[in-house]
Amino acid sequence: MNAEISTPIDELTQRLSATARGARLARRLTAARLEAWGHPYDSEVNDTAQHLVAELAANAVTHGRVPGRDFELRLLRLPGNTLRIEVSDARGDRRLRFVNDAEGEHGRGLILVTLLARTWGVTERDVGKTVWAEIGL
């Protein structure tokens, strides 16, 4: 019997430590995967995806972190030239919120996600939540 193990070329799923280092690695993995999918590092699509992953991963490790639990990055190429970015964390008790403090140093990340993504949202999970965003390829 000749069994082969294959990895779908249209998907990347990776668990990462819920640390700043894990968030940086998520962004680097995204850049490399988009490069492999034909979108060079200096392309608009790659840059936009990196910005979205950086924001969602930073939120996951800052606000969604549960000690001892990782977060998960998932990239999917969908029909219709769409890239879906999913970042899942273990914290389901904290709802996403926009901060309106014009003088504050934090709280503008979801505004950036809204501006960069074609669409985005939150999906509840048994443990935690998944924040997802879609962009055109």
Side-chain angles (χ1 to χ4, degrees):
M1 183 165 140
N2 184 6
E4 290 186 28
I5 298 173
S6 65
T7 303
I9 62 167
D10 289 351
E11 178 179 348
L12 167 75
T13 302
Q14 182 68 52
R15 286 189 180 264
L16 301 155
S17 65
T19 62
R21 187 176 188 186
R24 283 191 307 273
L25 183 54
R27 183 175 180 157
R28 294 184 75 166
L29 286 169
T30 299
R33 181 49 59 112
L34 287 201
E35 169 78 18
W37 284 343
H39 303 282
Y41 287 103
D42 59 352
S43 69
E44 183 177 342
V45 167
N46 197 312
D47 189 53
T48 299
Q50 286 185 61
H51 283 300
L52 286 168
V53 167
E55 184 54 44
L56 297 180
N59 283 350
V61 303
T62 303
H63 307 293
R65 184 176 183 275
V66 172
R69 303 295 295 269
D70 294 334
F71 77 95
E72 183 177 272
L73 169 67
R74 187 171 183 217
L75 305 175
L76 295 161
R77 276 197 306 186
L78 302 175
N81 277 339
T82 298
L83 173 68
R84 183 178 178 105
I85 299 165
E86 298 178 353
V87 175
S88 302
D89 63 54
R91 195 91 193 242
D93 61 331
R94 288 194 176 171
R95 301 286 178 224
L96 298 181
R97 62 188 179 99
F98 290 90
V99 176
N100 299 341
D101 182 5
E103 301 300 318
E105 293 182 20
H106 303 287
R108 295 181 187 84
L110 292 178
I111 295 170
L112 179 66
V113 171
T114 300
L115 293 172
L116 293 176
R118 181 186 299 164
T119 184
W120 71 276
V122 181
T123 304
E124 301 298 321
R125 299 168 23 133
D126 289 338
V127 175
K129 66 185 169 303
T130 298
V131 183
W132 55 270
E134 294 180 356
I135 61 173
L137 292 173

